[in-house]
């Protein structure tokens, strides 16, 4: 579930002097804006968020528009949201206008709140957040208020000269597309955006894209980078022409509709299945992409970086590889299973998580320091008698028995479930045996 923090805490106390404090300096002006009434926390699956970073004119907006058309992401441009706020003549419009005209950054809570509203008004769960976060304060505010982190961060790397040329030719009548403001924006970008880029580089989420070249060439790199982490696009299947994009996206939607919507009202919608190991491997390109991601994550974990659960969940989605079942690269089976486990647990799919845990146990994979607390949590959330039931229903009496004997306080329900399982399996002697 993705969640939001209950309140917006002022940024002023964390700020330092100099340009770095410009957000905080204007905080008072925005205070009332950010104290709007809270909207109840939505009950939704964690969204798949991609931050799209890059200097002014690096081509973020152009590429995001293409991703929307081709793969159905929802494009949330922070700059567009702010310009919309100005156009709506809201009480804060004129202050936002002044900030943009000077090439400075609008206080984090204002932008985050606009992003939040935009995300909540969308039915989609795949977002490209363009031109945000522009500072560490932006990033921290997003994490605190929205309560989640991006799965992927893309950085469009473009030389300054090229950016200036593009912005001056943009011709959209923007108040900030003039040489003075561009200089200021580039200065601010250098000072405040690099720490964000470095942060995501350290967490292994950052993918740098060379933003010089034709729009189509860059798009291919952009889409490939997103597909490395997400399960939304298969690298091997990535189409090239515009018509192919549309057909591909249409097909994806149809497939998704088939797997998610019940055929009739009596039919139970399909539940995520625990992974089946070592089924048919996917195409070579996908194997390489998976290997690269796993290597990155493995290295980060080895270095002690705490990989966030959203990434684990994304990895799990990727590993599920839909119709092919799950394919695990050699030597990383344990790691992948743990990721999958954490993905399940984080999504609240405790039954699946526990089923996978027992599979891991059978494979001789011990939970590590990240997984173990989640195993305990899943046990607590699920109640062990339900596990006995799950196994009994699947006809796996050996596992059911194992769980049953692991539970210290066996209650009436667990005794009954175990007994019924034995009876159902025709194991009368074993059924009697549990009373000894
Ligand atoms: N690869 C490219 N080569 C040349 N011009 C480009 C390229 N990508 C975008 N542009 C143009 O550069 C300008 C800035 O692009 P835009 O997507 O608005 O950048 P950003 O959102 O990063 O500020 C636009 O006029 C756009 O048409
Ligand atoms: O998260 C954001 C995004 C944008 N802006 C302001 O909006 C301007 C335009 O941003 P946009 O992303 O639209 O343009 P780009 O910099 O990509 O050309 C920036 O210079 C900032 O003044 C901001 O304050 N916070």
């Amino acid at each position: 579930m993705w969640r939001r923090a209950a309140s917006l805490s002022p940024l002023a106390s964390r700020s330092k002097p100099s340009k770095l404090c410009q957000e905080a300096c204007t905080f008072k002006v925005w205070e009332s804006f950010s104290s709007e009434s809270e909207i109840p926390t939505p009950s939704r699956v964690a969204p798949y968020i991609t931050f799209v970073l890059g200097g002014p004119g690096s081509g973020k907006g152009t590429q995001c528009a293409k991703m929307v058309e081709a793969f159905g992401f929802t494009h949330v441009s922070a700059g567009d949201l702010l310009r919309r706020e100005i156009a709506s003549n809201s009480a804060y419009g004129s202050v936002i206008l002044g900030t943009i005209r000077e090439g400075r950054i609008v206080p984090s809570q204002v932008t985050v709140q606009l992003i939040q509203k935009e995300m909540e008004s969308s039915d989609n769960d795949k977002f490209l957040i363009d031109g945000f976060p522009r500072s560490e304060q932006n990033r921290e505010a997003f994490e605190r208020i929205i309560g989640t982190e991006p799965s992927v961060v893309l950085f469009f790397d473009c030389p300054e000269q090229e950016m200036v040329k593009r912005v001056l030719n943009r011709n959209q009548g923007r108040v900030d597309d003039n040489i003075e403001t561009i200089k200021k924006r580039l200065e601010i970008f250098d000072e405040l955006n690099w720490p964000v880029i470095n942060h995501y580089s350290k967490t292994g989420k950052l993918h740098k894209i060379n933003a010089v070249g034709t729009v189509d060439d860059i798009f291919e790199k952009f889409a490939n980078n997103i597909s490395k982490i997400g399960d939304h696009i298969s690298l091997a299947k990535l189409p090239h022409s515009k018509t192919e994009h549309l057909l591909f996206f249409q097909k994806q939607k149809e497939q998704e509709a088939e797997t998610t919507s019940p055929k009739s009202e009596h039919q139970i919608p399909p539940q995520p299945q625990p992974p089946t190991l070592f089924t048919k491997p996917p195409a070579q390109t996908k194997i390489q992409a998976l290997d690269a991601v796993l290597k990155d994550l493995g290295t980060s974990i080895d270095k002690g970086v705490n990989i966030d659960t959203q990434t684990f969940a994304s990895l799990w989605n990727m590993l599920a590889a839909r119709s092919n079942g799950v394919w695990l690269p050699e030597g990383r089976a344990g790691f992948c299973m743990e990721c999958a486990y954490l993905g399940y647990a984080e999504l609240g799919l405790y039954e699946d998580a526990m089923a996978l845990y027992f599979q891991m146990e059978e494979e001789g994979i011990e939970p590590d320091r990240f997984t173990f607390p989640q195993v305990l949590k899943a046990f607590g959330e699920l109640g062990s008698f339900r596990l006995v039931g799950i196994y009994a229903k699947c006809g796996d009496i050996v596992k059911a028995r194992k769980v049953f004997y692991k539970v210290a306080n066996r209650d009436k329900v667990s005794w009954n479930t175990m007994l019924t399982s034995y009876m159902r399996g025709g194991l009368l002697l074993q059924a009697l045996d549990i009373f000894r």
Side-chain angles (χ1 to χ4, degrees):
M1 299 288 155
W2 62 292
R3 58 195 191 283
R4 145 219 341 239
S7 64
L8 309 174
S9 52
L11 295 172
S13 59
R14 312 199 59 206
S15 60
K16 297 185 190 115
S18 93
K19 237 185 291 177
L20 282 166
C21 85
Q22 58 109 353
E23 290 187 32
C25 297
T26 44
F27 177 71
K28 284 233 161 299
V29 181
W30 308 97
E31 226 165 11
S32 50
F33 185 99
S34 61
S35 64
E36 271 179 17
S37 63
E38 280 168 33
I39 311 156
T41 306
S43 159
R44 293 172 68 160
V45 171
Y48 184 88
I49 294 172
T50 300
F51 282 160
V52 184
L53 307 181
S58 56
K60 303 179 297 293
T62 307
Q63 295 298 331
C64 286
K66 283 178 79 71
M67 281 303 286
V68 169
E69 193 187 357
F71 298 114
F73 280 83
T74 290
H75 178 198
V76 179
S77 156
D80 284 351
L81 293 178
L82 293 168
R83 283 184 284 275
R84 201 165 75 190
E85 197 63 20
I86 297 170
S88 73
N89 282 328
S90 85
Y92 308 96
S94 63
V95 194
I96 297 176
L97 176 64
T99 310
I100 290 183
R101 188 178 273 141
E102 288 169 28
R104 291 183 294 111
I105 300 178
V106 172
S108 303
Q109 57 272 57
V110 174
T111 317
V112 174
Q113 236 182 315
L114 292 173
I115 293 174
Q116 184 181 39
K117 274 190 197 154
E118 193 69 7
M119 287 173 70
E120 285 174 0
S121 66
S122 167
D123 290 336
N124 206 344
D125 61 353
K126 295 186 281 187
F127 296 95
L128 292 171
I129 301 189
D130 162 10
F132 180 95
R134 287 175 119 87
S135 65
E136 280 289 272
Q137 285 190 346
N138 270 182
R139 180 181 70 73
E140 284 164 14
F142 184 90
E143 283 172 18
R144 193 176 61 250
I145 296 169
I146 310 279
T148 189
E149 286 189 22
S151 306
V152 191
V153 180
L154 299 177
F155 166 50
F156 284 94
D157 191 19
C158 194
E160 269 195 26
Q161 243 185 344
E162 177 69 16
M163 291 195 277
V164 173
K165 194 175 86 187
R166 289 186 193 173
V167 170
L168 291 177
N169 287 328
R170 182 150 46 188
N171 216 9
Q172 287 175 356
R174 280 175 47 171
V175 292
D176 53 347
D177 281 355
N178 56 72
I179 192 67
E180 289 76 35
T181 317
I182 294 168
K183 276 188 198 154
K184 180 78 183 167
R185 281 154 72 192
L186 286 169
E187 247 176 61
I188 300 253
F189 177 80
D190 270 349
E191 186 167 350
L192 301 184
N193 214 224
W194 280 108
V196 179
I197 291 165
N198 291 336
H199 168 86
Y200 288 121
S201 172
K202 278 189 211 135
T203 60
K205 289 185 179 180
L206 190 83
H207 296 256
K208 194 161 96 172
I209 295 168
N210 180 356
V212 183
T214 68
V215 170
D216 282 344
D217 284 349
I218 297 166
F219 177 63
E220 197 156 324
K221 288 184 242 168
F222 182 35
N224 279 355
N225 269 286
I226 288 194
S227 68
K228 274 188 195 167
I229 305 261
D231 70 329
H232 308 287
I233 304 153
S234 153
L235 199 68
K237 284 190 231 155
L238 194 70
H240 293 280
S241 77
K242 188 174 163 186
T243 337
E244 276 179 300
H245 284 146
L246 293 173
L247 287 173
F248 176 78
F249 181 47
Q250 174 75 24
K251 209 167 154 205
Q252 284 249 316
K253 276 204 141 169
E254 282 167 11
Q255 277 172 358
E256 265 173 36
E258 257 174 39
T259 48
T260 51
S261 61
K263 294 256 179 309
S264 77
E265 56 182 56
H266 302 297
Q267 211 170 339
I268 302 159
Q271 298 297 312
Q273 295 300 308
T276 320
L277 297 182
F278 300 105
T279 55
K280 202 171 94 192
Q284 193 57 29
T285 34
K286 188 146 187 171
I287 293 174
Q288 282 161 359
L290 284 170
D291 265 345
V293 173
L294 290 170
K295 198 166 150 245
D296 278 1
L297 283 174
T299 316
S300 306
I301 286 181
D302 293 344
K303 282 184 189 156
V305 173
N306 195 352
I307 300 291
D308 66 290
T309 44
Q310 174 65 40
T311 308
F312 277 122
S314 300
L315 187 61
W316 160 240
N317 282 333
M318 182 177 76
L319 289 168
R322 299 221 163 108
S323 53
N324 282 340
V326 171
W327 166 84
L328 298 175
E330 245 171 83
R332 305 299 291 186
F335 172 69
C336 295
M337 286 183 87
E338 293 209 5
C339 288
Y341 179 86
L342 289 170
Y344 271 148
E346 179 61 17
L347 293 170
L349 301 170
Y350 294 110
E351 294 181 357
D352 295 302
M354 291 315 294
L356 183 58
Y357 170 69
F358 283 102
Q359 195 178 343
M360 283 163 72
E361 212 179 38
E362 271 175 14
E363 304 275 325
I365 298 165
E366 288 287 318
D368 70 5
R369 69 196 166 94
F370 297 110
T371 321
F372 195 63
Q374 293 277 3
V375 172
L376 293 180
K377 187 174 167 209
F379 254 118
E381 293 284 342
L382 204 52
S384 33
F385 70 88
R386 276 179 62 197
L387 280 178
V388 181
I390 295 165
Y391 286 131
K393 269 186 220 150
C394 302
D396 194 336
I397 294 194
V398 178
K399 278 182 187 160
R401 202 175 121 117
K402 208 162 153 187
V403 178
F404 179 75
Y405 285 110
K406 265 192 179 177
V407 180
N409 300 318
R410 289 186 281 271
D411 59 8
K412 244 195 287 181
V413 186
S414 53
W415 280 95
N416 260 340
T417 317
M418 198 62 235
L419 193 59
T420 319
S421 322
Y422 277 136
M423 302 293 280
R424 219 185 269 148
L427 302 168
L428 299 182
L429 288 179
Q430 280 88 341
L432 284 175
D433 206 39
I434 64 170
F435 293 105
R436 299 219 176 111

